[in-house]
Structures are given as structure tokens and as C-alpha cells.
Amino acid sequence: MLVAERINTRFFNVVHLLSQAIPIIGIQVSAVELEGKLGLHFTEMINSYEEPEVEVDSPAVDEAFWKKEHPDTLAFAKSYEALAKTLLEEVTLRFLQNYLAVTISGLDRMWIRPRKGSRSLWNTG
């Protein structure tokens, strides 16, 4: 997130290049006086964030499948879910055949995939 007093064309050029690698939100901040009091007004100027697409080729399974097929990946996902629950609300674990998804407020935010041995690969969105 980029917060600046003024977002002009020079910012747009730099942000455009960066947004190809990472999602960026640009917010312009203005000081406003209202009824003799100073306040801040925030305007979203740039938003390159795109919600990740949900994989449709992975059917839902149950926890027993993961316990049998990939117990180490399940253990990692459950520990991450427990940690997230200490900080956030509405955290759940979705069981899909190819990966586990940690959802926060109904949106998939982390994907955990099993690897060889007892390793897991995870990425966030």
C-alpha cells in the first residue's frame, strides 16, 4: 500500500511497473478543515489488486482424506489455522483434493499443497 499526499503521473508510471510484480493500492491523503477542525480525507487512486481465481478442478474432500494421504500437510495447515484464529475472525480450513485453503471471512487467503516427503508448499493471496 502506498499512501501519499499527492499521487501524480510520475507515481503512476512507477506504480504501473511495480504492479506487474506485486499488487499495489495507492491512496492519496488530503488535509481538510471542517467546522474549524482539521481532518484527513483518503481517496483510492490506484488499485492493481485482483482477487485470485479459485481452482475449479479440485473437488472437495473431507479431513479424513488429508489425514490418510498427507498428514504432515494437514498438521501444518491446522497449526496455521489456529494461529490465524488468534488474530482474526471467521477463519476456516477448506479441504480440496489437490490443496488445502485457509479462508478468512469466506475468501481463500492461503493455499497449502503437499510436496514430496513431509514438505508442504504454501502461498498467499
Side-chain angles (χ1 to χ4, degrees):
M1 179 174 290
L2 167 70
V3 178
E5 182 179 356
R6 184 177 306 145
I7 297 180
N8 56 26
T9 55
R10 195 171 93 206
F11 270 115
F12 279 109
N13 293 334
V14 172
V15 168
H16 176 71
L17 289 172
L18 288 173
S19 70
Q20 294 174 8
I22 57 173
I24 293 185
I25 298 173
I27 297 176
Q28 183 170 293
V29 181
S30 304
V32 293
E33 188 175 337
L34 186 62
E35 297 178 1
K37 295 182 181 178
L38 195 58
L40 296 176
H41 179 263
F42 298 90
T43 306
E44 184 180 284
M45 301 295 287
I46 302 164
N47 188 343
S48 71
Y49 178 75
E50 292 181 18
E51 193 68 40
E53 291 184 23
V54 176
E55 292 184 27
V56 293
D57 62 342
S58 187
V61 294
D62 61 4
E63 186 174 348
F65 170 85
W66 281 89
K67 245 181 219 177
K68 178 183 174 208
E69 298 294 325
H70 307 287
D72 294 324
T73 301
L74 176 63
F76 172 74
K78 286 195 159 287
S79 65
Y80 187 84
E81 176 193 28
L83 174 64
K85 282 183 175 181
T86 65
L87 303 168
L88 305 164
E89 296 178 7
E90 297 183 50
V91 178
T92 57
L93 193 57
R94 276 195 332 126
F95 301 96
L96 298 148
Q97 188 172 2
N98 298 327
Y99 63 95
L100 295 166
V102 177
T103 65
I104 300 170
S105 298
L107 297 173
D108 290 352
R109 294 296 184 192
M110 180 177 189
W111 300 265
I112 305 163
R113 300 173 192 281
R115 290 302 197 220
K116 288 183 182 179
S118 60
R119 294 179 300 187
S120 299
L121 172 68
W122 60 276
N123 61 318
T124 60

